[in-house]
Amino acid sequence: MELFASPLACSLASHITALEAGLPVKVRFIENKKTDDGGDYFDISSKGYVPALKLDDGVILNEGPSVLQYLADRKPEAGLAPAWGTLERYQLIDMLNYLSTEVHKKLFYYIFNPTAAEATKAAAKEGLGPTLDYLTRRLGDGEYLVGARFTVADAYFVTMLNWYAFVGVDLKKWPKIAAYQARHLARPAVAQAMAVEMAERKRRAA
């Protein structure tokens, strides 16, 4: 399988998941809508965004929640997604939908969009605090967003927490979230994926 990604974008969650599961996934970074071999990325993803997972038979999955769950289900013994039919699986879907729609697309999309009006960006940034309030309540006394172990929802949230810090949100105001981030950044798969993607960013900036 091939994972088309952009460094430290939402595709980082899929990169983390592949490493956590020990799956043979080749990560291919895109830049300016071009693949690493100079191809047109729109030939892979007609939407032009990441992640895009190219399966062994050439089929493309191109939405974060579906890519994450597909990767998790390829290695169920890794426990990255609860089994289908369990309540926990639907709680996972609930959380992935919240992160992808209410946080990613509703807020960060506008904050990072260079064509968005400043008032729109400011309003989106104002919405970030309440999301951390809600996710703090969701964590409760636990260490994970769903159940009692690391899942793809945590991979997605850890990825997003980089964005909160990047736009100036002080996570220390949410100590449970700050502790969550520190704990999961120390996970080997998270650290490895982050290191690879940071190196790609530095290469581009050189």
Side-chain angles (χ1 to χ4, degrees):
M1 292 183 288
E2 295 179 315
L3 174 65
F4 292 86
S6 183
L8 302 183
C10 58
S11 49
L12 172 60
S14 298
H15 189 178
I16 291 168
T17 298
L19 291 173
E20 286 276 352
L23 293 170
V25 174
K26 179 181 180 181
V27 178
R28 300 182 59 187
F29 291 115
I30 67 164
E31 185 173 9
N32 298 323
K33 305 304 181 184
K34 295 291 183 181
T35 59
D36 51 2
D37 59 1
D40 186 346
Y41 182 56
F42 284 101
D43 290 339
I44 303 295
S45 165
S46 60
K47 304 165 190 171
Y49 56 67
V50 296
L53 183 68
K54 186 176 183 180
L55 308 185
D56 295 338
D57 60 3
V59 171
I60 303 293
L61 295 176
N62 197 195
E63 295 293 337
S66 61
V67 171
L68 289 169
Q69 291 180 84
Y70 181 85
L71 291 171
D73 288 338
R74 287 292 298 269
K75 196 71 172 292
E77 61 268 31
L80 293 165
W84 282 103
T86 64
L87 175 61
E88 289 78 11
R89 184 57 177 247
Y90 300 102
Q91 290 175 328
L92 177 75
I93 294 169
D94 185 87
M95 180 52 59
L96 290 175
N97 284 349
Y98 175 76
L99 292 173
S100 63
T101 61
E102 297 302 306
V103 185
H104 187 176
K105 292 297 187 179
K106 186 176 180 179
L107 302 179
F108 280 111
Y109 171 79
Y110 293 104
I111 294 169
F112 290 139
N113 187 341
T115 66
E118 288 305 313
T120 301
K121 292 183 178 184
K125 198 169 181 179
E126 282 294 315
L128 293 176
T131 67
L132 292 176
D133 292 339
Y134 165 71
L135 289 162
T136 295
R137 293 193 299 271
R138 181 68 180 244
L139 281 170
D141 294 326
E143 297 184 1
Y144 308 100
L145 288 175
V146 178
R149 63 188 301 171
F150 187 91
T151 69
V152 293
D154 298 299
Y156 199 178
F157 188 35
V158 166
T159 294
M160 285 187 170
L161 286 174
N162 294 321
W163 308 346
Y164 281 93
F166 182 78
V167 300
V169 175
D170 185 0
L171 294 179
K172 292 180 181 177
K173 295 179 181 178
W174 293 268
K176 187 168 290 186
I177 299 293
Y180 170 96
Q181 182 190 37
R183 184 167 57 252
H184 293 310
L185 285 177
R187 292 182 69 87
V190 176
Q192 182 180 344
M194 288 278 292
V196 169
E197 301 207 6
M198 284 296 295
E200 174 63 13
R201 282 181 66 92
K202 289 178 181 177
R203 183 195 69 77
R204 295 182 183 189

